[in-house]
């Protein structure tokens, strides 16, 4: 796998100013935020720590798997992870990712956006490019669905939530 896209580093979570909550899933809550140093808009996933057999020191195995996979991927149609952010206590661990403007699910269901045949072909082509890259690198995305397909204002499609 090519890991030129990511140079691992970590920062304090206070380096980011939360703007709004984007979504919540089983393993984390995603927020839109601003990097206070660069003014870049980012997405921050606060990992839900849990207790039970699935976790290592209360850190979900699924999150460890996702972090391990995505920090090594580098493709224009795969969501880029930027870094790990942490709070003043060990129970605040977040991943910082690039922010994209739209979720395919939101466009289809909430906004009832209709796509031209050109847009549909473009979305499918970019999604297939992402899946092909993953498979070439022996990674299988087990949860491809409209809420995990992100689209920028420029029409760039990125697959996320591994």
């Amino acid at each position: 796998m090519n890991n030129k896209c990511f140079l691992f580093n970590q920062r304090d979570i206070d380096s980011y100013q939360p703007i709004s909550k984007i979504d919540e899933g089983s393993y984390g809550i995603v927020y839109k935020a601003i990097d206070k140093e660069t003014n870049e808009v980012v997405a921050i996933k606060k990992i839900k720590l849990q207790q039970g057999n699935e976790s290592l020191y209360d850190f979900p195995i699924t999150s460890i798997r996702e972090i391990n996979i995505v920090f090594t991927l580098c493709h224009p149609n795969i969501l880029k992870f930027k870094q790990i952010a942490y709070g003043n206590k060990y129970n605040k661990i977040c991943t910082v990712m690039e922010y994209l403007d739209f979720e395919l699910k939101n466009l289809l269901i909430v906004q009832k956006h209709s796509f031209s045949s050109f847009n549909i072909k473009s979305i499918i082509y970019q999604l297939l490019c992402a899946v092909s890259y993953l498979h070439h690198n022996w990674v299988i995305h087990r949860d491809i669905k409209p809420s995990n397909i992100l689209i920028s204002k420029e029409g760039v499609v990125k697959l996320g939530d591994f």
Side-chain angles (χ1 to χ4, degrees):
M1 286 188 209
N2 180 356
N3 51 357
K4 292 180 183 176
C5 285
F6 180 76
L7 178 60
F8 186 81
N9 60 11
Q10 57 186 16
R11 288 175 54 198
D12 191 302
I13 193 64
D14 293 332
S15 302
Y16 301 93
Q17 176 64 48
I19 298 173
S20 61
K21 181 177 171 181
I22 297 173
D23 199 7
E24 182 170 355
S26 300
Y27 300 105
I29 304 169
V30 181
Y31 297 93
K32 179 179 179 181
I34 293 182
D35 184 326
K36 292 178 183 177
E37 292 178 14
T38 65
N39 286 329
E40 178 185 13
V41 177
V42 295
I44 295 179
K45 182 177 187 179
K46 182 178 185 282
I47 298 169
K48 289 182 182 176
L49 300 181
Q50 54 185 264
Q51 298 206 357
N53 294 336
E54 256 196 82
S55 60
L56 175 65
Y57 301 106
D58 298 334
F59 199 89
I61 294 297
T62 53
S63 296
I64 293 171
R65 186 181 308 123
E66 179 181 27
I67 290 168
N68 185 44
I69 290 170
V70 296
F71 282 139
T72 60
L73 300 175
C74 183
H75 189 273
N77 299 115
I78 302 289
L79 187 67
K80 288 184 184 74
F81 274 56
K82 295 178 172 286
Q83 57 196 187
I84 299 288
Y86 56 89
N88 55 359
K89 296 182 181 178
Y90 291 111
N91 64 351
K92 289 186 180 179
I93 299 173
C94 305
T95 55
V96 181
M97 305 162 278
E98 66 180 318
Y99 174 79
L100 273 80
D101 305 290
F102 307 103
E103 243 182 39
L104 183 58
K105 178 184 176 181
N106 191 350
L107 288 174
L108 293 172
I109 295 172
V110 177
Q111 297 183 17
K112 297 188 185 331
H113 184 79
S114 60
F115 292 98
S116 69
S117 60
F118 174 80
N119 292 135
I120 293 169
K121 289 176 187 177
S122 177
I123 290 168
I124 291 172
Y125 175 77
Q126 291 178 74
L127 186 56
L128 289 173
C129 286
V131 171
S132 174
Y133 172 80
L134 292 174
H135 291 182
H136 179 75
N137 287 286
W138 297 95
V139 175
I140 296 175
H141 192 299
R142 300 185 307 172
D143 196 23
I144 296 175
K145 59 186 179 184
S147 60
N148 294 336
I149 300 170
L150 307 172
I151 305 174
S152 73
K153 288 180 183 175
E154 297 77 26
V156 177
V157 173
K158 298 203 181 215
L159 188 55
D161 200 11
F162 290 81

